[in-house]
Amino acid sequence: MHEETATALSAFDIAALLVVASALLGWFNHHFIKLPHVIGLTVMGALAAIGLMVANALIPGVTLDDWVADTLQQMNFTETLLQGMLSFLLFAGALHVDLDRLKVAWLPVLLLSTVGVMISTVLVGLAMWGVGMLLGLPIAPIWYFVFGALIAPTDPVSVLGVLREEAVPQSLQSAVAGESLFNDGVGIVVFIILLGAAISGTDFSLAEGAQLFAIEAGGGIMVGLIAGFIGYRALAGMDEYTLEVLITLAVVMGGYALCSQLHISGPLAMAVAGLLIGNHGVTYAMSDVTRDYLLKFWELLDELLNSVLFLLIGLEMIVLIPGVDELIFGLVAIPLTLMARAVGIFVSTKTIPAARLQDKGAGRVLWWGGLRGGISIALALSLPPGETRDLILAATFAAVLFSVLVQRATLGRLIAKLKDEHAPAVEEDKAQSTPIPPPA
């Protein structure tokens, strides 16, 4: 743990450093490396962190890695993401989800974001527990399930970014986006419940956990509905785009802050509020000018926060100095999380006929598109210091980096391949989504 430096940076200084670094590295990647934007920022952030650690180890007097680590500690990645950036990112993502198509796929989305998360948590926990026993790791069993909970939810920031770039059929896009918006809120609630049991040392009570889950998740959905409806009514009563953009900001910041005070799920609240305003608000409560300004504002904010977030994911590697156990634990986490994800998708979308997705190749897109990101890292960084945290951090970084650098980089190719295999299904979806003009 690095001690706080005497020349502590202000919040504005840290924000300025991150935005400037994101812009410079983004420009460099665009002109020279030419990787997809967020992948390039993650790679360069990770390489910068590794380079600073190597320089500190080989060159006497070089302490830049200490300075970067101190700066990141002042910023508090967990607090910044979970209590700041996440509310904006989820709302911005939900604005673009078609609620009518989401209603059609409501059952698979519900099962994927609840049953799928639970199955993944349990399977990853059991599998990593077995790995821990083989390695002789001194970790209490409950911590393996804590890791399962923090790595189970997919990251809507990563998933929605890919879906917007690829011409995915709207029905499948709504199902994938809907799951990614809701399962992170569910995963965070499960994580909080299991972490409380792990820290207190008490036996985990399934009944008590279910009660806490119902309160946090149900409360978040209720606040999201109320905040979204209030925002919708306010938007419907005027035609002033600057004030209407401000109202949406108030819904996000006020609603998320209220959820934090009430100890209910802010992520679920923002997903619900974003869906309500992005569909009913955009369609019925805005002029064309307001709609254009508002959607472009949230798209720009989403891109800015997205860039900073993935740069931070790379830079946060500076807090991790893995040993042999951490390396093994991290490497085995990659296939185990993928296998658990596959089982969760199969159970959620194949065992109940009404929950089956009609799009060809939907299961493969859901599986390989189950990207992990900043949420998992933020949750891992929130764990109490110690050997257990170091091992879970190593496994989390391994799974997230594989997700960003491999899965995200190849998801477009998988979608293109599926389109070639099932072109009629894709064309049919496009035809259905094209409005038929009324007869003259």
Side-chain angles (χ1 to χ4, degrees), residues 77-78 316 319 376-384 389 393 397:
F77 183 85
T78 301
E316 283 290 348
V319 305
S376 294
I377 290 179
L379 295 177
L381 288 169
S382 72
L383 299 177
R389 179 181 186 266
L393 262 180
F397 269 108

PDB file of all heavy atoms in Angstrom, residues 77-78 316 319 376-384 389 393 397:
ATOM      1  N   PHE A  77     -10.509   3.995  -7.678  1.00  0.00           N
ATOM      2  CA  PHE A  77     -11.178   3.457  -8.865  1.00  0.00           C
ATOM      3  C   PHE A  77     -12.557   2.904  -8.536  1.00  0.00           C
ATOM      4  O   PHE A  77     -13.531   3.146  -9.259  1.00  0.00           O
ATOM      5  CB  PHE A  77     -10.299   2.355  -9.474  1.00  0.00           C
ATOM      6  CG  PHE A  77     -10.855   1.768 -10.739  1.00  0.00           C
ATOM      7  CD1 PHE A  77     -10.613   2.361 -11.964  1.00  0.00           C
ATOM      8  CD2 PHE A  77     -11.621   0.612 -10.711  1.00  0.00           C
ATOM      9  CE1 PHE A  77     -11.126   1.822 -13.138  1.00  0.00           C
ATOM     10  CE2 PHE A  77     -12.129   0.055 -11.870  1.00  0.00           C
ATOM     11  CZ  PHE A  77     -11.877   0.671 -13.088  1.00  0.00           C
ATOM     12  N   THR A  78     -12.660   2.176  -7.423  1.00  0.00           N
ATOM     13  CA  THR A  78     -13.946   1.576  -7.057  1.00  0.00           C
ATOM     14  C   THR A  78     -14.993   2.642  -6.821  1.00  0.00           C
ATOM     15  O   THR A  78     -16.113   2.576  -7.343  1.00  0.00           O
ATOM     16  CB  THR A  78     -13.785   0.712  -5.793  1.00  0.00           C
ATOM     17  OG1 THR A  78     -12.817  -0.306  -6.049  1.00  0.00           O
ATOM     18  CG2 THR A  78     -15.098   0.071  -5.394  1.00  0.00           C
ATOM     19  N   GLU A 316      -4.550   0.229 -13.885  1.00  0.00           N
ATOM     20  CA  GLU A 316      -4.713  -0.395 -12.569  1.00  0.00           C
ATOM     21  C   GLU A 316      -3.885  -1.659 -12.410  1.00  0.00           C
ATOM     22  O   GLU A 316      -3.745  -2.171 -11.302  1.00  0.00           O
ATOM     23  CB  GLU A 316      -6.192  -0.710 -12.316  1.00  0.00           C
ATOM     24  CG  GLU A 316      -7.034   0.488 -11.925  1.00  0.00           C
ATOM     25  CD  GLU A 316      -6.717   1.024 -10.538  1.00  0.00           C
ATOM     26  OE1 GLU A 316      -6.002   0.350  -9.783  1.00  0.00           O
ATOM     27  OE2 GLU A 316      -7.184   2.128 -10.210  1.00  0.00           O
ATOM     28  N   VAL A 319      -1.184  -2.016  -9.592  1.00  0.00           N
ATOM     29  CA  VAL A 319      -1.383  -2.439  -8.201  1.00  0.00           C
ATOM     30  C   VAL A 319      -1.132  -3.930  -8.039  1.00  0.00           C
ATOM     31  O   VAL A 319      -1.151  -4.447  -6.919  1.00  0.00           O
ATOM     32  CB  VAL A 319      -2.817  -2.112  -7.722  1.00  0.00           C
ATOM     33  CG1 VAL A 319      -3.121  -0.643  -7.918  1.00  0.00           C
ATOM     34  CG2 VAL A 319      -3.858  -2.983  -8.441  1.00  0.00           C
ATOM     35  N   SER A 376     -16.106  -5.470 -12.736  1.00  0.00           N
ATOM     36  CA  SER A 376     -15.459  -6.574 -12.027  1.00  0.00           C
ATOM     37  C   SER A 376     -14.182  -6.117 -11.333  1.00  0.00           C
ATOM     38  O   SER A 376     -13.909  -6.489 -10.180  1.00  0.00           O
ATOM     39  CB  SER A 376     -15.140  -7.714 -13.009  1.00  0.00           C
ATOM     40  OG  SER A 376     -16.326  -8.287 -13.523  1.00  0.00           O
ATOM     41  N   ILE A 377     -13.376  -5.291 -12.020  1.00  0.00           N
ATOM     42  CA  ILE A 377     -12.138  -4.802 -11.417  1.00  0.00           C
ATOM     43  C   ILE A 377     -12.437  -3.899 -10.230  1.00  0.00           C
ATOM     44  O   ILE A 377     -11.776  -3.972  -9.187  1.00  0.00           O
ATOM     45  CB  ILE A 377     -11.283  -4.074 -12.470  1.00  0.00           C
ATOM     46  CG1 ILE A 377     -10.723  -5.095 -13.463  1.00  0.00           C
ATOM     47  CG2 ILE A 377     -10.147  -3.282 -11.819  1.00  0.00           C
ATOM     48  CD1 ILE A 377      -9.881  -4.498 -14.554  1.00  0.00           C
ATOM     49  N   ALA A 378     -13.445  -3.031 -10.367  1.00  0.00           N
ATOM     50  CA  ALA A 378     -13.803  -2.145  -9.259  1.00  0.00           C
ATOM     51  C   ALA A 378     -14.230  -2.940  -8.034  1.00  0.00           C
ATOM     52  O   ALA A 378     -13.849  -2.611  -6.896  1.00  0.00           O
ATOM     53  CB  ALA A 378     -14.921  -1.196  -9.694  1.00  0.00           C
ATOM     54  N   LEU A 379     -15.011  -3.985  -8.235  1.00  0.00           N
ATOM     55  CA  LEU A 379     -15.444  -4.817  -7.107  1.00  0.00           C
ATOM     56  C   LEU A 379     -14.255  -5.546  -6.476  1.00  0.00           C
ATOM     57  O   LEU A 379     -14.163  -5.645  -5.249  1.00  0.00           O
ATOM     58  CB  LEU A 379     -16.501  -5.817  -7.566  1.00  0.00           C
ATOM     59  CG  LEU A 379     -17.832  -5.224  -8.047  1.00  0.00           C
ATOM     60  CD1 LEU A 379     -18.758  -6.325  -8.549  1.00  0.00           C
ATOM     61  CD2 LEU A 379     -18.506  -4.430  -6.938  1.00  0.00           C
ATOM     62  N   ALA A 380     -13.336  -6.050  -7.301  1.00  0.00           N
ATOM     63  CA  ALA A 380     -12.162  -6.743  -6.771  1.00  0.00           C
ATOM     64  C   ALA A 380     -11.270  -5.788  -5.976  1.00  0.00           C
ATOM     65  O   ALA A 380     -10.726  -6.153  -4.927  1.00  0.00           O
ATOM     66  CB  ALA A 380     -11.373  -7.391  -7.909  1.00  0.00           C
ATOM     67  N   LEU A 381     -11.122  -4.562  -6.463  1.00  0.00           N
ATOM     68  CA  LEU A 381     -10.296  -3.578  -5.754  1.00  0.00           C
ATOM     69  C   LEU A 381     -10.919  -3.137  -4.440  1.00  0.00           C
ATOM     70  O   LEU A 381     -10.227  -2.589  -3.577  1.00  0.00           O
ATOM     71  CB  LEU A 381     -10.056  -2.355  -6.641  1.00  0.00           C
ATOM     72  CG  LEU A 381      -9.106  -2.557  -7.823  1.00  0.00           C
ATOM     73  CD1 LEU A 381      -9.174  -1.366  -8.768  1.00  0.00           C
ATOM     74  CD2 LEU A 381      -7.678  -2.770  -7.341  1.00  0.00           C
ATOM     75  N   SER A 382     -12.225  -3.358  -4.273  1.00  0.00           N
ATOM     76  CA  SER A 382     -12.892  -2.968  -3.032  1.00  0.00           C
ATOM     77  C   SER A 382     -12.698  -3.977  -1.906  1.00  0.00           C
ATOM     78  O   SER A 382     -13.099  -3.716  -0.765  1.00  0.00           O
ATOM     79  CB  SER A 382     -14.394  -2.778  -3.285  1.00  0.00           C
ATOM     80  OG  SER A 382     -15.040  -4.029  -3.498  1.00  0.00           O
ATOM     81  N   LEU A 383     -12.085  -5.124  -2.196  1.00  0.00           N
ATOM     82  CA  LEU A 383     -11.883  -6.159  -1.182  1.00  0.00           C
ATOM     83  C   LEU A 383     -10.843  -5.710  -0.163  1.00  0.00           C
ATOM     84  O   LEU A 383      -9.938  -4.931  -0.470  1.00  0.00           O
ATOM     85  CB  LEU A 383     -11.441  -7.464  -1.842  1.00  0.00           C
ATOM     86  CG  LEU A 383     -12.412  -8.090  -2.856  1.00  0.00           C
ATOM     87  CD1 LEU A 383     -11.799  -9.328  -3.484  1.00  0.00           C
ATOM     88  CD2 LEU A 383     -13.741  -8.420  -2.195  1.00  0.00           C
ATOM     89  N   PRO A 384     -10.947  -6.195   1.075  1.00  0.00           N
ATOM     90  CA  PRO A 384      -9.960  -5.821   2.100  1.00  0.00           C
ATOM     91  C   PRO A 384      -8.573  -6.345   1.731  1.00  0.00           C
ATOM     92  O   PRO A 384      -8.442  -7.445   1.163  1.00  0.00           O
ATOM     93  CB  PRO A 384     -10.489  -6.494   3.370  1.00  0.00           C
ATOM     94  CG  PRO A 384     -11.436  -7.552   2.912  1.00  0.00           C
ATOM     95  CD  PRO A 384     -12.011  -7.065   1.618  1.00  0.00           C
ATOM     96  N   ARG A 389      -7.181 -11.019  -1.367  1.00  0.00           N
ATOM     97  CA  ARG A 389      -7.440  -9.957  -2.339  1.00  0.00           C
ATOM     98  C   ARG A 389      -6.476 -10.040  -3.513  1.00  0.00           C
ATOM     99  O   ARG A 389      -6.881  -9.879  -4.670  1.00  0.00           O
ATOM    100  CB  ARG A 389      -7.310  -8.598  -1.658  1.00  0.00           C
ATOM    101  CG  ARG A 389      -7.534  -7.390  -2.588  1.00  0.00           C
ATOM    102  CD  ARG A 389      -7.357  -6.111  -1.765  1.00  0.00           C
ATOM    103  NE  ARG A 389      -7.673  -4.912  -2.519  1.00  0.00           N
ATOM    104  CZ  ARG A 389      -6.789  -4.179  -3.184  1.00  0.00           C
ATOM    105  NH1 ARG A 389      -5.509  -4.564  -3.204  1.00  0.00           N
ATOM    106  NH2 ARG A 389      -7.149  -3.078  -3.809  1.00  0.00           N
ATOM    107  N   LEU A 393      -7.693 -10.500  -7.234  1.00  0.00           N
ATOM    108  CA  LEU A 393      -7.329  -9.465  -8.196  1.00  0.00           C
ATOM    109  C   LEU A 393      -6.659 -10.064  -9.424  1.00  0.00           C
ATOM    110  O   LEU A 393      -6.957  -9.677 -10.563  1.00  0.00           O
ATOM    111  CB  LEU A 393      -6.379  -8.448  -7.541  1.00  0.00           C
ATOM    112  CG  LEU A 393      -6.977  -7.148  -7.019  1.00  0.00           C
ATOM    113  CD1 LEU A 393      -5.882  -6.281  -6.422  1.00  0.00           C
ATOM    114  CD2 LEU A 393      -7.706  -6.393  -8.112  1.00  0.00           C
ATOM    115  N   PHE A 397      -8.198  -9.639 -13.119  1.00  0.00           N
ATOM    116  CA  PHE A 397      -7.471  -8.989 -14.201  1.00  0.00           C
ATOM    117  C   PHE A 397      -7.292  -9.926 -15.387  1.00  0.00           C
ATOM    118  O   PHE A 397      -7.419  -9.513 -16.547  1.00  0.00           O
ATOM    119  CB  PHE A 397      -6.107  -8.499 -13.710  1.00  0.00           C
ATOM    120  CG  PHE A 397      -6.120  -7.097 -13.186  1.00  0.00           C
ATOM    121  CD1 PHE A 397      -5.996  -6.845 -11.832  1.00  0.00           C
ATOM    122  CD2 PHE A 397      -6.275  -6.020 -14.043  1.00  0.00           C
ATOM    123  CE1 PHE A 397      -6.021  -5.553 -11.334  1.00  0.00           C
ATOM    124  CE2 PHE A 397      -6.292  -4.722 -13.560  1.00  0.00           C
ATOM    125  CZ  PHE A 397      -6.163  -4.483 -12.203  1.00  0.00           C
TER     126      PHE A 397
END
